[in-house]
Amino acid sequence: MKRLPVLPPDVMRVLERWHPQEWSDSDLRALEQVRDTVTEWVAKAAPRNPFVARRMLRTSAMLAVWAHQTWGTVDVATVLDPRNVEHWVMSVNSDRSAGWRENARGALRAVGRAAYPAGWPTPRQVGRQTVAVPYTQVEETWFVQTARLAGRSNRAARLWVVAGAFGGGLNGTEITAATIDDFEEIANGRLVVTTRGAKARMVPIRRAYTDLTREALEHCPADRLIRTAGRNIVYWISSELDTGDGEGLSLRRSRTTWLQAHLLAGTPLPALRRIAGPLSANTVDKLLIDAAAGLDNNTAVIEGLRA
């Protein structure tokens, strides 16, 4: 096996000692043929903790064993080609749950980009800046489920980070500063949060995140949802909310997801500009193009009759 990059000791132990449970004898024999290759792939992805390392190893090993048994190869350009990854996740494992498949896809994307970067396209560019790709609905659901996991510390903070990011499009500073007194209930049980700081404003929480926000408020042990006011506390909590790709929750992507949700829901642009605070015209233009692409002519005409 080639020399692995320098990784944290606890991650290295996982790479060196990991052994799958409840695999068939034939799969275990095949694993011995591909193990060194899989370990090198995962090491290049530099998993940030043992949990992510095990997830990447398990998923990559399953794919590699299947490829070895099916095609007789573990060539990286073949096995980690995006089309083959998608085929294995969605077709070969079609009997798995949607959550398992999305989790596996995330892990393999991270490994694929690291071990076979030539095969994975770079994010689309709009002008001079890259517009963060919105999360899928499945990914949003996974973050909500992860935030709700029992037995983990900072429950109120975890719930509020996800609710504030996806439900309010807030940045890290605004999420950190929120107190229980900043929330009020308006018509039909909807919640509004008044943000603090230079861009103070009132922001309605998306309907889908009303219950999650209420859970955060109910579990809040004091007046602040996030007790530690450290500059990077929200980003630390976000990094612990992992969908399997080793990247954690991106506040940039969650804000883009929030913006996209409002555009698809028909929130008027002046109102969106008011509740969003700082908002790049470049971002709005990109998201409007994507939103318009999902409309047919008849639907667009009907919507246009509002004026």
Side-chain angles (χ1 to χ4, degrees):
M1 183 170 63
K2 297 178 181 178
R3 184 174 182 179
L4 300 179
V6 178
L7 297 170
D10 53 353
V11 172
M12 288 299 300
R13 282 194 292 272
V14 171
L15 297 184
E16 294 168 354
R17 302 176 185 176
W18 175 78
H19 183 78
Q21 302 296 318
E22 299 181 356
W23 280 32
S24 68
D25 290 340
S26 61
D27 284 348
L28 288 173
R29 286 193 296 270
L31 177 62
E32 291 306 310
Q33 302 296 315
V34 305
R35 185 184 182 97
D36 287 353
T37 298
V38 170
T39 302
E40 289 172 14
W41 292 350
V42 173
K44 289 179 179 178
R48 56 186 173 78
N49 61 42
F51 175 78
V52 174
R54 289 189 193 93
R55 178 176 291 169
M56 287 183 173
L57 273 172
R58 181 174 61 250
T59 310
S60 299
M62 290 174 66
L63 171 61
V65 164
W66 173 82
H68 178 70
Q69 294 173 332
T70 304
W71 300 327
T73 182
V74 285
D75 174 64
V76 67
T78 299
V79 180
L80 291 180
D81 180 277
R83 292 164 296 185
N84 291 335
V85 166
E86 191 71 11
H87 170 71
W88 182 78
V89 170
M90 302 305 294
S91 298
V92 176
N93 288 284
S94 60
D95 58 325
R96 304 270 190 171
S97 69
W100 185 95
R101 282 178 284 156
E102 195 65 29
N103 194 17
R105 179 193 279 135
L108 291 173
R109 282 175 177 171
V111 174
R113 290 190 182 103
Y116 180 45
W120 292 82
T122 57
R124 288 184 294 172
Q125 298 287 323
V126 180
R128 296 182 179 179
Q129 296 181 341
T130 300
V131 176
V133 179
Y135 284 112
T136 66
Q137 187 171 5
V138 171
E139 288 171 324
E140 282 193 72
T141 300
W142 179 261
F143 282 119
V144 171
Q145 292 174 341
T146 303
R148 281 176 165 156
L149 286 175
R152 296 177 62 181
S153 61
N154 297 320
R155 182 172 176 79
R158 285 186 286 110
L159 294 169
W160 170 233
V161 166
V162 173
F166 283 114
L170 307 185
N171 62 34
T173 300
E174 292 166 342
I175 292 173
T176 302
T179 73
I180 59 175
D181 293 331
D182 295 331
F183 295 83
E184 63 177 297
E185 185 173 316
I186 57 174
N188 300 318
R190 298 293 297 276
L191 295 175
V192 172
V193 59
T194 299
T195 68
R196 298 170 179 265
K199 302 296 182 181
R201 62 197 184 282
M202 296 178 67
V203 181
I205 299 297
R206 283 173 59 196
R207 186 187 309 278
Y209 289 88
T210 298
D211 289 344
L212 194 69
T213 303
R214 290 188 185 279
E215 286 182 47
L217 294 172
E218 290 170 2
H219 286 87
C220 184
D223 63 329
R224 296 179 64 93
L225 287 116
I226 298 179
R227 287 172 289 177
T228 303
R231 182 177 181 180
N232 295 319
I233 183 62
V234 167
Y235 298 96
W236 179 82
I237 295 172
S238 299
S239 70
E240 295 298 306
L241 298 165
D242 179 23
T243 63
D245 58 8
E247 297 179 1
L249 172 66
S250 164
L251 294 182
R252 285 187 66 236
R253 290 187 66 189
S254 58
R255 178 170 167 82
T256 305
T257 307
W258 176 82
L259 288 168
Q260 182 187 61
H262 275 284
L263 290 173
L264 293 175
T267 301
L269 288 178
L272 183 57
R273 176 63 180 83
R274 185 75 178 183
I275 64 176
L279 184 59
S280 164
N282 177 59
T283 298
V284 174
D285 182 59
K286 168 62 172 63
L287 293 175
L288 279 174
I289 291 173
D290 288 348
L295 298 176
D296 57 34
N297 288 332
N298 290 333
T299 302
V301 167
I302 296 300
E303 293 292 325
L305 294 176
R306 296 185 182 189

